[in-house]
C-alpha cells in the first residue's frame, strides 16, 4: 500500500486517541495505516516482526512492539485483524496476550472473521477483567481496506460501540451496530451465504456464455445494466472470463468462513443446502491448487 493512497482519504475530525493494532496482514496493514493518517497514536504488533518494521517505516509517527501485551500499553482502543478463532485467542489470552496488558476500561475491537462463539467467550473474559470487547468483522476486501472504505458490522454494548465509531471512521464507509456480542459475526455470515451462491451462479453463467461462443465481456456489459447485476458481476465478471485469480479474497479464507456458517446453521437449525454445496465446490478448487486464488475462481471447475 502506498502512503499516497492513504493520504488521499479525508478524515472526520476526531480527537487523537492512543490505539494499538494487532495483525498487519492484507487487511490490518492498511487499516492501521488509516488510523495513523487520521492522527491517532498507533502502536502495532505483528507475529512476523518484519511487517511491523515495514509499517513503522511507512508511518513514522507510529511505533511497534514485540508482543500484543506490550503493544496495548496505554491504548484506549485495541484493534485486531488475524486469521481465525485460534489466532485470535493466541493474541488476546495468555501471559503475552492483549488482555494481560490492557488498562481497565480499554476496548478491544476485533475485525477477524471468526465465530460468534469466540466473540462471546472473549466478551465474557473482557468483562471479568474490567475491559470491553466488540466483534467487528469487515466486508469490502483488500481494496476497501486500502481505500479506507470498509463496511463493518459490530456486536457488543451500544455505549462501547459509540466510543469506537468515530475512531474506526478512519477506515470505514459504514460502521454499524448490529446488537449483542456475536451479532457482528452473525451478520458477516449472512454476507458470506449471499456471496457463495452469487459467485456460483455467475460462474455457471459465464461458463455457459463461453461455451456458446458469445463475446462474454459484451454480455456482462449488457446484462450488468439489468436485473442480473451484482457486485461480483461488476468487479469479478471480466477477470473470471479470462481466468485471472491472483488477487482478492482467498479460497482458503472463504472455506474458513463457510465452515463458520455451516457450524452456526447446525446450532440454529437454518437449512443451507446451496451454501453446503458451494463449500464443496470450493474444496474442489483447493484440490486444483487454488488455495490463495480469489473466490471468483469457482468458475475453474466448469472450464
Ligand atoms: N483479505 C480480504 O479480502 C478479507 C476481506 C474480509 C475479511 N477478511 C478477514 O480478515 C481476516 C484477515 O485477513 P487477511 O486477508 O488480512 O489475512 P492475512 O493477510 O493472511 O493476514 C493475517 C494476519 O494475522 C496474523 N496471524 C495469523 N495467525 C496468527 C497467530 N496465531 N498469532 C499472531 N498473528 C497471527 C498474520 O501474521 P503473520 O504476518 O506473522 O503471518 C497476519 O498479520 C481474516 O479473518 C479474513 O477472513 C479478509
Amino acid at each position: 500500500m502506498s502512503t499516497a493512497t492513504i493520504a488521499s482519504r479525508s478524515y472526520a475530525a476526531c480527537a487523537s486517541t492512543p490505539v494499538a493494532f494487532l495483525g498487519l496482514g492484507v487487511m490490518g496493514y492498511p487499516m492501521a495505516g488509516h488510523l495513523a493518517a487520521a492522527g491517532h497514536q498507533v502502536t502495532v504488533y505483528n507475529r512476523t516482526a518484519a511487517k511491523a518494521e515495514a509499517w513503522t517505516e511507512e508511518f513514522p509517527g507510529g511505533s511497534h512492539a514485540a508482543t500484543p501485551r506490550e503493544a496495548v500499553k496505554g491504548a484506549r482502543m485495541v484493534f485486531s485483524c488475524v486469521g481465525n478463532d485460534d489466532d485470535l485467542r493466541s493474541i488476546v489470552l495468555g501471559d503475552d496476550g492483549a488482555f494481560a496488558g490492557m488498562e481497565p476500561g480499554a476496548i478491544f475491537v476485533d475485525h477477524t472473521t471468526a465465530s460468534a462463539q469466540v466473540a462471546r467467550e472473549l466478551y465474557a473474559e473482557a468483562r471479568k477483567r474490567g475491559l470491553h470487547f466488540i466483534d467487528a468483522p469487515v466486508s469490502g476486501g483488500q481494496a476497501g481496506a486500502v481505500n479506507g472504505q470498509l463496511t463493518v458490522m459490530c456486536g457488543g454494548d451500544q455505549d462501547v460501540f459509540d466510543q469506537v465509531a468515530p475512531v474506526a471512521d478512519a477506515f470505514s464507509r459504514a460502521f454499524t451496530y448490529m446488537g449483542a456480542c456475536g451479532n457482528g459475526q452473525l451478520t458477516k455470515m449472512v454476507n458470506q451465504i449471499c456471496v457463495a451462491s452469487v459467485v456460483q451462479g455467475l460462474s455457471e453463467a459465464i461458463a455457459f456464455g463461453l461455451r456458446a461462443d458469445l463475446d462474454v465481456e459484451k454480455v456482462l456489459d449488457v446484462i450488468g445494466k439489468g436485473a442480473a447485476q451484482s457486485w461480483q458481476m461488476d468487479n469479478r465478471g471480466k477477470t473470471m472470463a479470462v481466468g485471472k485469480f491472483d488477487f482478492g479474497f482467498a479460497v482458503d479464507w472463504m472455506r474458513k468462513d463457510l465452515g463458520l456458517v455451516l457450524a452456526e446453521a447446525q446450532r440454529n437449525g437454518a437449512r443451507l443446502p446451496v451454501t453446503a454445496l458451494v463449500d464443496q465446490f470450493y474444496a474442489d478448487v483447493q484440490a486444483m491448487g487454488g488455495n490463495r486464488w480469489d473466490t471468483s475462481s469457482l468458475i475453474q471447475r466448469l472450464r
Side-chain angles (χ1 to χ4, degrees):
M1 183 191 52
S2 78
T3 319
T5 309
I6 291 282
S8 67
R9 162 79 150 87
S10 64
Y11 303 98
C14 172
S16 174
T17 305
V19 302
F21 205 108
L22 315 178
L24 301 174
V26 166
M27 302 298 281
Y29 189 105
M31 290 167 80
H34 282 290
L35 288 167
H40 301 295
Q41 305 146 49
V42 186
T43 305
V44 297
Y45 159 79
N46 195 65
R47 178 179 57 180
T48 306
K51 277 193 214 166
E53 284 157 18
W55 189 92
T56 40
E57 263 174 45
E58 192 169 350
F59 302 97
S63 55
H64 62 89
T67 64
R69 181 182 183 153
E70 284 174 37
V72 305
K73 257 187 222 157
R76 235 189 96 213
M77 291 166 203
V78 178
F79 298 86
S80 67
C81 192
V82 292
N84 59 28
D85 284 23
D86 288 343
D87 303 338
L88 178 59
R89 285 193 188 93
S90 80
I91 58 161
V92 171
L93 304 172
D95 286 349
D96 280 332
F99 280 5
M102 287 168 67
E103 288 167 13
I107 305 168
F108 193 100
V109 185
D110 178 44
H111 297 293
T112 309
T113 302
S115 67
Q117 272 173 314
V118 76
R120 294 183 194 116
E121 174 191 318
L122 295 178
Y123 174 92
E125 185 60 34
R127 290 290 288 265
K128 267 197 244 161
R129 295 166 181 251
L131 305 171
H132 303 287
F133 183 90
I134 298 277
D135 54 300
V138 305
S139 173
Q142 182 175 7
V146 169
N147 298 328
Q149 294 291 328
L150 291 169
T151 295
V152 192
M153 30 222 131
C154 301
D157 298 334
Q158 170 96 60
D159 58 330
V160 177
F161 166 87
D162 290 342
Q163 294 174 56
V164 176
V167 177
D169 174 76
F171 52 73
S172 312
R173 174 171 65 185
F175 193 82
T176 307
Y177 183 65
M178 302 305 299
C181 172
N183 280 12
Q185 295 296 352
L186 293 171
T187 304
K188 173 74 183 184
M189 290 178 204
V190 174
N191 185 81
Q192 297 306 70
I193 294 167
C194 294
V195 169
S197 54
V198 168
V199 176
Q200 175 60 17
L202 188 57
S203 297
E204 292 183 15
I206 292 172
F208 176 96
L210 289 170
R211 280 181 195 269
D213 278 334
L214 288 170
D215 175 345
V216 169
E217 191 163 324
K218 194 170 179 188
V219 170
L220 293 171
D221 280 341
V222 171
I223 68 173
K225 296 184 182 73
Q229 184 272 344
S230 65
W231 185 97
Q232 298 291 340
M233 182 179 285
D234 289 351
N235 293 282
R236 297 289 185 263
K238 288 175 186 169
T239 43
M240 287 166 81
V242 296
K244 190 170 173 351
F245 310 111
D246 56 345
F247 60 91
F249 183 59
V251 167
D252 279 354
W253 282 146
M254 188 58 168
R255 284 221 76 207
K256 181 254 305 178
D257 292 2
L258 295 180
L260 295 170
V261 166
L262 294 170
E264 190 65 40
Q266 288 233 312
R267 277 187 285 277
N268 71 15
R271 295 178 58 220
L272 301 174
V274 174
T275 307
L277 192 59
V278 176
D279 179 52
Q280 288 309 301
F281 293 165
Y282 275 122
D284 293 344
V285 178
Q286 287 175 316
M288 294 164 74
N291 302 62
R292 297 297 296 181
W293 292 348
D294 181 65
T295 39
S296 56
S297 58
L298 211 44
I299 192 174
Q300 289 303 82
R301 297 177 60 260
L302 306 175
R303 280 183 189 276

